[in-house]
Amino acid sequence: MRNSTLDIRRSAGAVGAEIRGVDLRDPLDDATFGEIRQAFHDHGVVFFRDQHITPEQHVAFAERFGPINVNRFFTPVPGHPRIAEVRKEPDQKKNIGEVWHADHSYDQVPALGSMLLAREVPEYGGDTMFASMAAAYAALSDGLKRTLDGLRAVHSSRHVFGAKAESRGAELSTRLHNPELATQDAVHPVVIRHPETGQRCLYVNRSFTTHIEGWTQEESAPLLDFLYRHGERPEFTCRFRWENGSIALWDNRSTWHFAVNDYHGQRRLMHRITIEGVALG
Ligand code: SIN
């Protein structure tokens, strides 16, 4: 049996683990990659430190998990159309991602995960929080679990990335593109079975879920709001402090994330790659 060189330490009780002992500038052998993938499934989000990799190495690592999903709305990194920039400049007040969400839930086939690499971090602030939707689901009562079974929810990109989106202030518009492509609406089960782990996970989120299928928005709001407040409970979360060269790789089916916007006057520049997923059931 192979002796692992990886050191995997949990970040919190429900979600997250930091992986040490790997240098992503080197090609990964299958056994090491298998351990990383297992940790990703076990913890929902995995973190790496001091990975000063090139965009090509970033793409190559992401591709080990699956094909890349090119984000239609974010500014690409110059010369690297498959990598999206998540940037906030010192004179900007709004950031990207300051609402709990799961990336791409508005797609018919939502993304497997996202890999964010810190290129330039503020001196303080700009952490990212993660929440486990498997833990959140498991903590619900049997009665509510039965009620959620069979419900489906509608997710949309229009109100976030479309031309009339409230969030599309002049400042964010410089970082978001193609509002005409914000036509995606998708319907997914409110509780999914995770395609790899088989775990049941809550699959609604504050950013992109608009209503329960067959219910009005007004009827949906109290139930969705309860699920959001429940999913945000501190015991389901962890918080990651970035350094230049840090990477977070999160599972968009089993986690939410939230970008804390507490570093006005400083630059924060991240490179994000999103990985294609499979249809959810
Ligand atoms: C995102 O929501 O994808 C961005 C997260 C972050 O910038 O921390």
Side-chain angles (χ1 to χ4, degrees), residues 181-219:
L181 297 183
T183 53
Q184 303 83 4
D185 285 351
V187 181
H188 305 296
V190 168
V191 177
I192 57 162
R193 190 167 287 287
H194 190 282
E196 267 90 33
T197 67
Q199 277 183 309
R200 314 284 319 267
C201 302
L202 268 184
Y203 196 72
V204 287
N205 68 83
R206 272 195 199 276
S207 261
F208 301 120
T209 308
T210 56
H211 59 286
I212 308 283
E213 186 186 43
W215 301 20
T216 65
Q217 290 200 342
E218 203 181 358
E219 288 166 344

Side-chain angles (χ1 to χ4, degrees), residues 88-90 92-99 121-129 175 239-242 258-268 270:
K88 184 179 172 225
E89 291 292 344
Q92 295 174 321
K93 287 282 183 283
K94 287 179 187 272
N95 72 345
I96 288 174
E98 196 194 9
V99 177
V121 298
E123 203 180 305
Y124 58 82
D127 296 357
T128 307
M129 299 181 67
R175 286 173 281 165
R239 180 168 177 142
F240 186 61
R241 170 94 196 102
W242 294 94
F258 180 104
V260 182
N261 189 9
D262 60 350
Y263 55 97
H264 298 322
Q266 303 181 73
R267 175 177 293 119
R268 181 176 183 273
M270 320 292 272

Side-chain angles (χ1 to χ4, degrees), residues 44-259:
V45 50
V46 288
F47 306 110
F48 303 85
R49 296 274 182 202
D50 300 318
Q51 302 294 337
H52 300 284
I53 56 177
T54 62
E56 290 77 10
Q57 289 164 336
H58 189 188
V59 168
F61 183 41
E63 279 185 321
R64 293 295 296 265
F65 292 85
I68 289 171
N69 175 314
V70 179
N71 189 285
R72 318 181 257 302
F73 306 119
F74 289 14
T75 308
V77 169
H80 299 281
R82 293 190 292 171
I83 309 179
E85 267 195 356
V86 176
R87 177 192 285 271
K88 184 179 172 225
E89 291 292 344
D91 61 339
Q92 295 174 321
K93 287 282 183 283
K94 287 179 187 272
N95 72 345
I96 288 174
E98 196 194 9
V99 177
W100 283 106
H101 64 285
D103 297 335
H104 290 236
S105 72
Y106 49 77
D107 282 340
Q108 305 288 338
V109 178
L112 173 154
S114 305
M115 187 182 286
L116 196 66
L117 165 62
R119 292 293 186 191
E120 191 174 339
V121 298
E123 203 180 305
Y124 58 82
D127 296 357
T128 307
M129 299 181 67
F130 297 88
S132 167
M133 290 306 104
Y137 175 76
L140 294 172
S141 67
D142 289 344
L144 183 51
K145 284 179 182 160
R146 277 195 296 276
T147 301
L148 298 181
D149 249 354
L151 292 183
R152 304 195 324 152
V154 180
H155 301 243
S156 181
S157 61
R158 297 165 202 255
H159 59 288
V160 182
F161 298 125
K164 295 192 183 136
E166 270 176 34
S167 61
R168 190 171 276 283
E171 205 190 67
L172 259 190
S173 287
T174 61
R175 286 173 281 165
L176 296 177
H177 295 270
N178 303 324
E180 70 287 356
L181 297 183
T183 53
Q184 303 83 4
D185 285 351
V187 181
H188 305 296
V190 168
V191 177
I192 57 162
R193 190 167 287 287
H194 190 282
E196 267 90 33
T197 67
Q199 277 183 309
R200 314 284 319 267
C201 302
L202 268 184
Y203 196 72
V204 287
N205 68 83
R206 272 195 199 276
S207 261
F208 301 120
T209 308
T210 56
H211 59 286
I212 308 283
E213 186 186 43
W215 301 20
T216 65
Q217 290 200 342
E218 203 181 358
E219 288 166 344
S220 307
L223 175 58
L224 289 176
D225 192 53
F226 168 78
L227 294 174
Y228 299 152
R229 284 184 292 108
H230 172 76
E232 291 160 10
R233 277 168 44 182
E235 65 269 34
F236 306 140
T237 72
C238 73
R239 180 168 177 142
F240 186 61
R241 170 94 196 102
W242 294 94
E243 295 161 0
N244 290 339
S246 300
I247 292 178
L249 166 64
W250 60 84
D251 189 321
N252 280 307
R253 292 81 54 96
S254 65
T255 65
W256 291 340
H257 57 283
F258 180 104

